[in-house]
Amino acid sequence: MSTLKGKRALVTGASRGIGAAIAKALAAEGASVAITYERSAEKAGEVVREIEAAGGKAVAFAANSADPQAVRGSIERTVAELGGLDILVNNAGIARQGSVAEISLEDIDALLNVNVRGVILASQAAIAHLPAGGRIISIGSSLGERVPFGGVTVYSATKSALRSFNAGLSRELGPLGITVNIVQPGSTDTDMNPADGEGAAYQKGAMSLGEYGTPEDIAAAVVFLAGPGGKQITGTTITVDGGAIA
């Protein structure tokens, strides 16, 4: 398939898990892909090599999404390395647990800096480079819409913030022909939340389908929004959660 042939994409935080799956899926559709990572240079290199082995083009570079200069620099480097930017996928995100009464200021700042400020700054920096037909796709969480248990309140608030940012940015960029959307995973089998981990049985019980999703499930939704089928979809959220918030 080559629905994204000639497109240039940046996927933040893509050395593993959902981000890696998104990068590979975009490349499989013909896009040239840049990925960022914070510390996992070896894993990022593996993603690049896998894409190149399949005949695609990929580059990777370190960029901490909590660092404003690094976030803005990742956009500029992508443009320099790939010759432009058509698709920005704000995937980088962190999770910190703790009740509101107990969560530390350090964890609050980390969540806000990566999950909210990092997305805003990357999107802001991308605007000057995205052409008509460009895409901004952010990876949210079903916990940004519904919080069925305690201990994730601040994390959930950061993902909820993306929903209003997404709606407003879609209004601002619509006249330029740029779409802005969120893909909202539910329980997805990754290192952060393995399908055989603690609490997995509870999460499966909350789903209509009763099974964890895979990173590839999330990537498929991103590819759809990035491609021709997503040209009339903006300011909205696609939830991929097996029916957990139905």
Side-chain angles (χ1 to χ4, degrees):
M1 299 290 289
S2 56
T3 60
L4 299 176
K5 185 177 181 180
K7 301 296 184 182
R8 290 77 49 98
L10 168 63
V11 185
T12 65
S15 63
R16 59 188 178 128
I18 290 172
I22 292 170
K24 294 172 189 177
L26 292 172
E29 289 295 329
S32 299
V33 180
I35 68 172
T36 68
Y37 62 91
E38 183 182 359
R39 293 183 297 268
S40 304
E42 183 176 344
K43 289 185 178 296
E46 291 174 3
V47 174
V48 168
R49 288 190 290 273
E50 185 171 337
I51 290 172
E52 290 178 337
K57 178 178 180 179
V59 295
F61 41 85
N64 182 352
S65 291
D67 179 348
Q69 185 174 351
V71 171
R72 296 186 182 107
S74 69
I75 300 294
E76 300 306 321
R77 185 163 177 184
T78 297
V79 171
E81 295 271 359
L82 301 184
L85 178 66
D86 302 285
I87 302 160
L88 169 63
V89 182
N90 291 306
N91 170 75
I94 62 171
R96 298 281 193 276
Q97 295 193 19
S99 69
V100 173
E102 297 176 349
I103 192 169
S104 68
L105 177 59
E106 180 182 6
D107 283 344
I108 293 170
D109 284 345
L111 286 164
L112 290 170
N113 289 344
V114 175
N115 294 0
V116 182
R117 189 180 68 182
V119 171
I120 293 172
L121 292 179
S123 301
Q124 181 184 54
I127 291 170
H129 301 286
L130 291 169
R135 306 284 201 266
I136 296 177
I137 303 165
S138 298
I139 305 303
S141 169
S142 61
L143 291 175
E145 186 169 342
R146 179 172 177 267
V147 188
F149 47 84
V152 293
T153 303
V154 179
Y155 169 80
S156 298
T158 66
K159 293 301 186 178
S160 180
L162 292 185
R163 293 168 62 85
S164 56
F165 177 70
N166 182 72
L169 189 59
S170 75
R171 292 290 188 180
E172 294 181 12
L173 300 187
L176 302 178
I178 298 168
T179 68
V180 187
N181 292 289
I182 292 175
V183 173
Q184 195 165 255
S187 299
T188 306
D189 188 15
T190 64
D191 292 345
M192 293 176 65
N193 185 19
D196 60 355
E198 183 179 353
Y202 168 82
Q203 293 176 61
K204 291 176 183 178
M207 301 178 204
S208 300
L209 296 178
E211 293 293 338
Y212 268 50
T214 68
E216 289 72 25
D217 294 327
I218 313 307
V222 171
V223 168
F224 170 73
L225 289 172
K231 68 181 180 64
Q232 193 65 12
I233 301 173
T234 196
T236 195
T237 298
I238 294 180
T239 301
V240 186
D241 72 341
I245 62 172

